[in-house]
Amino acid sequence: MKEIFKNIPVIPYEGAQSKNPLAFKFYDADRIVLGKPMKEHLPFAMAWWHNLCAGGTDMFGRDTADKSFGAEKGTMAHAKAKVDAGFEFMKKLGVKYFCFHDVDLVPEADDIKETNRRLDEISDYILEKMKGTDIKCLWGTANMFGNPRFMNGAGSSNSADVFCFAAAQIKKALDLTVKLGGRGYVFWGGREGYETLLNTDVKFEQENIAKLMHLAVEYGRSIGFTGDFYIEPKPKEPMKHQYDFDAATAIGFLRQYGLDKDFKMNIEANHATLAGHTFQHDLRISAINGMLGSIDANQGDLLLGWDTDEFPFNVYEATMCMYEVLKAGGLTGGFNFDAKTRRPSYTLEDMFHAYILGMDTFALGLLKAAALIEDGRVDQFVADRYASYRTGIGAKIRSGETTLQELAEYAASLGAPALPGSGRQEYLESVVNQILFS
Ligand code: XUL
Ligand code: CO
């Protein structure tokens, strides 16, 4: 097999003092953290679309990066060259999972029957490549937003024919996910949303999205898919109003339509911040509802305000993310780098720098989150902050053994209300800094 990433070795771990750009400084796969090797805490995944397909095109200019990998674009030879490149890339970095949309894998034909034939061919090729490696699929999905037919969404489309095309793509993407041993299947809303209520029946559209998800679950289970389905919330872009605004909205939707047993959240950092939340907030909301499934590991740019899909370098954010993940007992999914190199970082080598950055950032986040938990001051503070509910009237509130009447009488007996105790935010922030930088 021809080497595609020439001059790039298998990326070693060299430690924090290393100045070798093609080495990990913090990601030490076998290092034990809280009783488990780093690689098990951090099942990293390569996003097929950004890494192997996207060339840096934006609305002002064409590709800067050449992702032809020596083949003619738009051909099956190119689809196979991407598989070759992807597997060489993952092996060199020690990345064990990949995520894909159907149309990332092959060029889409006009007729869906031909697209599906191409998908069969490429998935056979991927299966061959997987043999003898421990690389697996993390999750699959169907791209139901790129083709013009999905201009009004997929499940939410006003057209029943478009709904059927969405169903056909989901069916095939589920077949592929099962064939490639995927742990999960993702629904990112894509264009499931609306621009104006002047032409939109929101209730009707939401019912239809739920119907499509139920049909997907029914079919997935019938072909032996035992993994989780995920909703990946996002508040806007491409639609003005996206139905899966954030974790709380998506969880409410799943409960309303009886989908909560089969679905969890795939939380993307950049989507959470677009919703006006921190990444940590949406992780916490998912976790407390038992629905923290998987993570799209990237970061946005608060100065820009759109989905910039940057490789994560913010160690504070990664630490808070890993703090949530550790406290939730880990993920059933993994950490998918839904991220792209910046347009001027157009060389093949930059793809490696990007993954080294992302993997090192999350390794650091893991180490610092473990230290935060072992230190215990933050957790202890939070526990103590609610101490008034452990005994007396507080304990009665928690156990439901009181009435509004009794609480009113109790309050009257207190006279002037007491202050609730300092939140000590600045002290706690300095504890975090101490752990981050010592
Ligand atoms: C879009 C996005 C998608 C999903 C998969 O913002 O994040 O790439 O992760 O469809
Ligand atoms: Co994503």
Side-chain angles (χ1 to χ4, degrees):
M1 180 56 59
K2 206 167 90 246
E3 195 181 21
I4 292 171
F5 302 100
K6 298 195 185 82
N7 310 321
I8 308 275
V10 169
I11 306 299
Y13 165 72
E14 290 187 357
Q17 304 311 316
S18 169
K19 297 227 167 111
N20 174 3
L22 292 172
F24 293 117
K25 319 298 181 300
F26 303 102
Y27 181 64
D28 182 6
D30 294 316
R31 175 168 172 186
I32 304 293
V33 181
L34 298 180
K36 236 171 51 173
M38 262 193 182
K39 63 183 176 205
E40 284 178 29
H41 282 288
L42 298 168
F44 290 125
M46 176 191 75
W48 211 272
W49 52 103
H50 284 310
N51 205 46
L52 304 174
C53 308
T57 290
D58 67 14
M59 57 266 241
F60 301 102
R62 59 180 186 273
D63 279 2
T64 54
D66 176 6
K67 299 261 175 96
S68 61
F69 304 119
E72 191 190 332
K73 283 196 168 175
T75 63
M76 283 304 283
H78 181 233
K80 288 182 182 164
K82 289 196 292 184
V83 178
D84 296 342
F87 274 78
E88 185 187 325
F89 182 83
M90 288 186 277
K91 281 189 203 163
K92 286 184 166 170
L93 279 155
V95 168
K96 304 294 183 206
Y97 294 92
F98 59 87
C99 299
F100 70 90
H101 301 83
D102 45 4
V103 305
D104 304 334
L105 300 182
V106 294
E108 201 179 1
D110 288 337
D111 185 333
I112 193 165
K113 293 192 285 301
E114 171 58 13
T115 308
N116 286 349
R117 193 202 59 72
R118 293 177 188 176
L119 287 168
D120 289 338
E121 186 182 334
I122 206 71
S123 51
D124 285 344
Y125 191 69
I126 295 173
L127 268 188
E128 256 327 289
K129 281 270 166 185
M130 283 166 72
K131 276 195 194 138
T133 74
D134 48 2
I135 295 174
K136 294 183 261 323
C137 171
L138 183 67
W139 52 255
T141 188
N143 178 323
M144 306 190 298
F145 43 90
N147 191 299
R149 75 170 75 97
F150 295 121
M151 65 175 73
N152 298 327
S156 69
S157 177
N158 57 304
S159 157
D161 284 357
V162 171
F163 187 102
C164 294
F165 266 99
Q169 277 186 243
I170 293 170
K171 178 176 177 294
K172 191 65 186 174
L174 273 165
D175 288 339
L176 295 173
T177 302
V178 169
K179 180 170 173 181
L180 301 174
R183 281 195 194 189
Y185 184 88
V186 163
F187 282 83
W188 164 54
R191 293 180 197 272
E192 310 288 41
Y194 70 92
E195 295 296 319
T196 172
L197 286 175
L198 292 175
N199 66 12
T200 303
D201 183 337
V202 170
K203 184 165 183 286
F204 186 89
E205 293 196 357
Q206 293 202 349
E207 285 168 1
N208 275 0
I209 295 169
K211 276 194 174 61
L212 190 57
M213 288 180 172
H214 272 293
L215 292 168
V217 170
E218 214 175 280
Y219 179 74
R221 299 306 179 213
S222 80
I223 60 164
F225 175 65
T226 53
D228 289 318
F229 288 86
Y230 301 120
I231 282 188
E232 182 180 321
K234 185 176 183 182
K236 57 189 169 198
E237 204 198 26
M239 302 308 259
K240 181 161 60 178
H241 300 278
Q242 297 266 156
Y243 292 135
D244 301 325
F245 187 92
D246 61 0
T249 311
I251 291 167
F253 172 86
L254 292 173
R255 295 229 168 97
Q256 183 180 354
Y257 292 104
L259 288 156
D260 48 309
K261 298 287 172 290
D262 293 284
F263 274 79
K264 289 192 166 86
M265 293 295 113
N266 179 41
I267 297 298
E268 177 164 325
N270 202 166
H271 295 180
T273 51
L274 284 176
H277 301 309
T278 59
F279 182 22
Q280 190 183 5
H281 170 88
D282 256 20
L283 294 168
R284 177 72 63 93
I285 295 298
S286 306
I288 62 174
N289 284 284
M291 287 197 198
L292 178 54
S294 204
I295 285 175
D296 269 14
N298 64 10
Q299 72 180 55
D301 186 324
L302 299 180
L303 297 182
L304 295 177
W306 65 86
D307 195 15
T308 56
D309 283 342
E310 294 176 33
F311 276 87
F313 64 81
N314 186 323
V315 176
Y316 185 95
E317 293 294 329
T319 300
M320 293 310 164
C321 167
M322 292 314 299
Y323 178 71
E324 296 303 318
V325 170
L326 288 174
K327 288 175 85 68
L331 301 174
T332 48
F335 296 83
N336 168 45
F337 286 115
D338 191 357
K340 56 192 177 205
T341 54
R342 298 304 85 193
R343 193 172 148 76
S345 304
Y346 61 90
T347 71
L348 295 184
E349 186 178 316
D350 286 305
M351 293 164 63
F352 285 85
H353 293 310
Y355 271 69
I356 291 170
L357 170 68
M359 291 165 78
D360 268 344
T361 300
F362 270 82
L364 258 175
L366 169 66
L367 292 171
K368 296 299 175 184
L372 203 55
I373 289 170
E374 279 175 333
D375 175 88
R377 276 176 289 173
V378 170
D379 286 336
Q380 190 60 51
F381 185 87
V382 175
D384 291 348
R385 190 156 173 256
Y386 299 95
S388 65
Y389 287 93
R390 272 187 224 130
T391 55
I393 196 73
K396 284 178 97 176
I397 294 171
R398 293 294 290 171
S399 62
E401 288 159 20
T402 187
T403 62
L404 208 60
Q405 173 74 21
E406 184 186 11
L407 299 184
E409 281 162 18
Y410 176 84
S413 76
L414 292 177
L419 292 176
S422 169
R424 296 262 188 273
Q425 183 169 333
E426 297 76 8
Y427 158 69
L428 294 164
E429 286 165 346
S430 77
V431 168
V432 172
N433 273 356
Q434 184 190 7
I435 285 169
L436 282 181
F437 298 104
S438 59

